[in-house]
Amino acid sequence: MLQSPPTIAYQKHTRSVGRKNQALTLTFGVAAMILGGLGGRLAYLQLMQGTQNRELADSNRIRLLPKQPERGKILDRKGKILAGSRLSHSVFLWPLAQKKAEWSHTLERVSQILNIPVADIQKRLETEGYNSPYRVRIARSISPQKVTALAESIGELDGVQVDAEAVRSYPNGDLAAHVLGYTGELTDDDFKKHHLDHYRLGDVIGQMGIESAREQDLRGEWGGQQVEVDGAGNVVKILGEKQTHAGKDVTLTIDLDLQKAAETALGNRKGSIVAINPNNGEILAMVSRPAFDPNLFSTRISEKQWQRLQGEDHPFVNRALQGYPPASTFKIVTTTAGLESGKFSPDTVLATSASIRVGGIDFGDWNHAGFGPQGFVGALTWSSDTFFYQIGMGVGDQTLIQWARRFGFGQKTGIELGDEEASGLVPDNAWKQKEIHESWFLGDTVNMSIGQGFLQCTPLQVAGMFAIAANGSYRVKPHLLQDNESAENWREPLNLKPKTVRILHEGLRGVVNGGTATAAFSGTDLAIAGKSGTAEDFGRESHTWFGAFSPVDKPQIVVVAFGENSGGGGGSFAAPMVRQVLEAYFHPDKAKKQQAEVVAAPRD
């Protein structure tokens, strides 16, 4: 702004001739100098830098350039990377670079290069708003060819910018996919739910597994810059900057090598394998098949691709956390209920037969002949159904249900993936009247005694049951986070009698040494105790189970394998998988060699 010349005060001097004219001359001289300087500066700005300043006035914008933090790593118990980050190229739009009506040509060209429908790009732009100072991401992890094509056309694509950013990477592909989960861009529903947590459209968020459960630790803290850009979206000047803070690393109890062994053991079969430490609940391996490759979501997938990924086999379902009839593995609970109730002594011997009749219905033994007189150890060894029918009826439904719940069935385990975990079901009279509109029958107790009927248990819950048998009467809390001290130290005593624990160990040891799983463990040098199970699924192939722990005297590991509608028997189908995982745990060098041979084998 122009300034007025300074005001000069005058005094009257009678002695000096010509002083008044001298003062006036000085005043006009000072004023001329000030006006001359301002005029020269205006002339310089208008004539010498006029074009540049008009461009700044017309085109420049103050915009916010957010910087996404690098997501924290997910590590196995030994520090090996299960999920990390890699650099890739993403495409962004500056909404303010063009007026709304001017975006049409740009969007058409970008759509052709990226092979993304114009409507999809426009929807993102409109959702963010044409007056938004933020960039809008429209594509992630684009190919080098697309980067080159955009670079060649960038001069005619105002407001389009290609930038490098970190994207999620899973170096082992689909290994432990259900444990790790995946990250994906916020959906509209996600955005409505999380926008108050400083998420923006286009941000990525953990969608399942640990990625979702530990989102707040892994996501990190956004940073960014306040920048001055020209009409093409190029940064002219950085006005301010806030540093990003990478997310925290999360260490799991998973052992990568054992996880690989469990994945190899299950192969392409539908089902699950869970391995835990029976003394503190650490999950050493958790496999669910079919699986998916979480790397697929490091790029934006179409609705068609998403629907194809769903499939009839539901690859996103973590079968380790879903409920199924536990079949004869549940005889561990029935044995405990019989002995702890005092209704049966450790020396009890009962006659077994081809079947028994209850309420006009014949309940058969699995071998269609019975096993003659048997005690608890022999009945567990041979998995006699008619023996345990009698135990179930003898203790009654209330006692059997009570012990099922004390073993942790019918309730979530407390694993960090609680949103994905089923509670399972321990039915009772109240449940049956509400859901089936019938009262509880004695036949329901008979069915429950061998793990059939309405009873539903997850493979993880079954692993928890085996942990109790292994460690001598303590419930532990299964957990995936290595720093979960509350779970690590949580042990609920069931106060089982020493004779009960002894009978469980002897009976389960007999299954492997001479019983229903002898063939599967022939030749092993490991001291293993286990139990098979085959659950009917009417109209479809049966489910198969096998759970085991080792060594028998001081157990270090429990492994449970489950085959969904696999057919066959638990001892023949699931037991070999358990053996393979146990061998890998106790003989890791041998297991790595076998895995290498599998990878190197020719494929059809």
Side-chain angles (χ1 to χ4, degrees), residues 79-266:
K80 297 176 182 177
I81 295 178
L82 300 174
S85 299
R86 62 179 174 82
L87 282 179
S88 186
H89 287 90
S90 297
V91 183
F92 300 86
L93 301 182
W94 292 102
L96 281 170
Q98 300 185 60
K99 294 179 181 179
K100 181 177 181 180
E102 298 172 344
W103 273 103
S104 178
H105 169 73
T106 301
L107 298 188
E108 287 284 353
R109 182 69 183 123
V110 171
S111 171
Q112 292 172 2
I113 295 173
L114 299 180
N115 195 27
I116 298 175
V118 172
D120 290 358
I121 303 175
Q122 192 163 6
K123 181 181 178 181
R124 286 172 174 254
L125 199 56
E126 290 176 348
T127 302
E128 184 65 44
Y130 287 94
N131 294 320
S132 173
Y134 292 99
R135 297 189 307 177
V136 182
R137 185 197 294 108
I138 60 170
R140 300 162 58 214
S141 298
I142 63 172
S143 67
Q145 293 81 4
K146 291 179 180 179
V147 172
T148 301
L150 285 169
E152 292 173 348
S153 304
I154 205 71
E156 59 187 76
L157 298 176
D158 288 350
V160 179
Q161 189 171 16
V162 180
D163 205 354
E165 64 175 356
V167 297
R168 207 54 163 162
S169 174
Y170 302 87
N172 300 294
D174 65 359
L175 183 138
H178 296 87
V179 171
L180 301 176
Y182 65 95
T183 61
E185 290 191 15
L186 287 167
T187 64
D188 291 342
D189 289 340
D190 290 334
F191 181 64
K192 292 174 184 176
K193 186 187 304 182
H194 295 287
H195 73 280
L196 295 178
D197 298 324
H198 306 294
Y199 287 93
R200 296 176 52 251
L201 198 67
D203 287 354
V204 297
I205 189 171
Q207 296 288 358
M208 63 176 284
I210 290 296
E211 293 281 23
S212 175
R214 307 306 296 177
E215 168 67 17
Q216 295 306 310
D217 288 335
L218 291 166
R219 66 179 291 203
E221 184 179 340
W222 280 76
Q225 297 173 329
Q226 186 181 44
V227 298
E228 185 178 11
V229 299
D230 61 22
N234 300 310
V235 176
V236 175
K237 185 189 297 183
I238 297 174
L239 304 176
E241 185 168 6
K242 177 186 176 183
Q243 292 296 321
T244 61
H245 295 282
K248 298 177 182 177
D249 292 345
V250 171
T251 301
L252 303 185
T253 58
I254 293 291
D255 183 306
L256 177 59
D257 293 330
L258 193 66
Q259 181 74 25
K260 288 179 178 178
E263 302 264 359
T264 301
L266 186 57

Side-chain angles (χ1 to χ4, degrees), residues 214-506:
R214 307 306 296 177
E215 168 67 17
Q216 295 306 310
D217 288 335
L218 291 166
R219 66 179 291 203
E221 184 179 340
W222 280 76
Q225 297 173 329
Q226 186 181 44
V227 298
E228 185 178 11
V229 299
D230 61 22
N234 300 310
V235 176
V236 175
K237 185 189 297 183
I238 297 174
L239 304 176
E241 185 168 6
K242 177 186 176 183
Q243 292 296 321
T244 61
H245 295 282
K248 298 177 182 177
D249 292 345
V250 171
T251 301
L252 303 185
T253 58
I254 293 291
D255 183 306
L256 177 59
D257 293 330
L258 193 66
Q259 181 74 25
K260 288 179 178 178
E263 302 264 359
T264 301
L266 186 57
N268 293 323
R269 305 176 184 95
K270 190 187 298 184
S272 174
I273 293 179
V274 176
I276 69 171
N277 182 329
N279 302 302
N280 58 20
E282 290 180 341
I283 297 176
L284 306 175
M286 179 183 284
V287 183
S288 178
R289 293 286 182 183
F292 60 93
D293 185 351
N295 287 301
L296 293 173
F297 300 94
S298 294
T299 59
R300 184 169 174 265
I301 65 171
S302 67
E303 181 65 24
K304 185 177 180 180
Q305 288 175 308
W306 171 254
Q307 292 301 328
R308 188 167 63 249
L309 281 169
Q310 298 299 302
E312 294 182 0
D313 291 332
H314 306 292
F316 293 95
V317 173
N318 188 344
R319 285 166 166 79
L321 305 179
Q322 303 306 305
Y324 306 89
S328 290
T329 63
F330 189 77
K331 290 171 183 175
I332 292 173
V333 175
T334 307
T335 296
T336 304
L339 293 170
E340 293 294 316
S341 68
K343 298 288 182 67
F344 298 91
S345 74
D347 300 324
T348 294
V349 175
L350 300 175
T352 67
S353 56
S355 65
I356 62 173
R357 180 171 284 266
V358 178
I361 300 174
D362 289 330
F363 291 84
D365 215 316
W366 68 269
N367 72 342
H368 308 294
F371 298 89
Q374 291 291 334
F376 279 101
V377 172
L380 284 169
T381 297
W382 293 106
S383 198
S384 172
D385 292 329
T386 54
F387 179 92
F388 287 102
Y389 295 154
Q390 296 174 75
I391 300 297
M393 290 188 292
V395 300
D397 61 298
Q398 293 302 312
T399 298
L400 194 58
I401 289 168
Q402 177 189 17
W403 275 103
R405 290 174 177 161
R406 290 192 66 185
F407 268 76
F409 295 128
Q411 56 197 281
K412 292 188 176 185
T413 64
I415 189 175
E416 295 86 349
L417 310 182
D419 290 344
E420 301 166 37
E421 183 183 20
S423 299
L425 174 64
V426 178
D428 55 19
N429 183 56
W431 174 87
K432 192 179 179 190
Q433 286 185 337
K434 179 181 177 182
E435 300 295 332
I436 312 296
H437 308 294
E438 290 180 355
S439 296
W440 189 268
F441 300 134
L442 185 58
D444 295 319
T445 305
V446 170
N447 267 328
M448 183 182 286
S449 69
I450 63 164
Q452 296 279 182
F454 304 112
L455 186 66
Q456 296 278 306
C457 307
T458 71
L460 184 59
Q461 290 173 336
V462 172
M465 175 186 69
F466 275 96
I468 293 169
N471 66 37
S473 115
Y474 290 93
R475 267 185 69 189
V476 294
K477 184 174 289 186
H479 60 281
L480 285 162
L481 296 177
Q482 201 169 57
D483 63 355
N484 192 339
E485 293 182 5
S486 61
E488 185 97 6
N489 298 322
W490 188 90
R491 284 163 64 89
E492 180 181 308
L494 298 190
N495 299 316
L496 302 184
K497 300 169 187 175
K499 287 186 177 180
T500 300
V501 176
R502 177 180 59 79
I503 286 173
L504 287 173
H505 279 215
E506 290 181 4

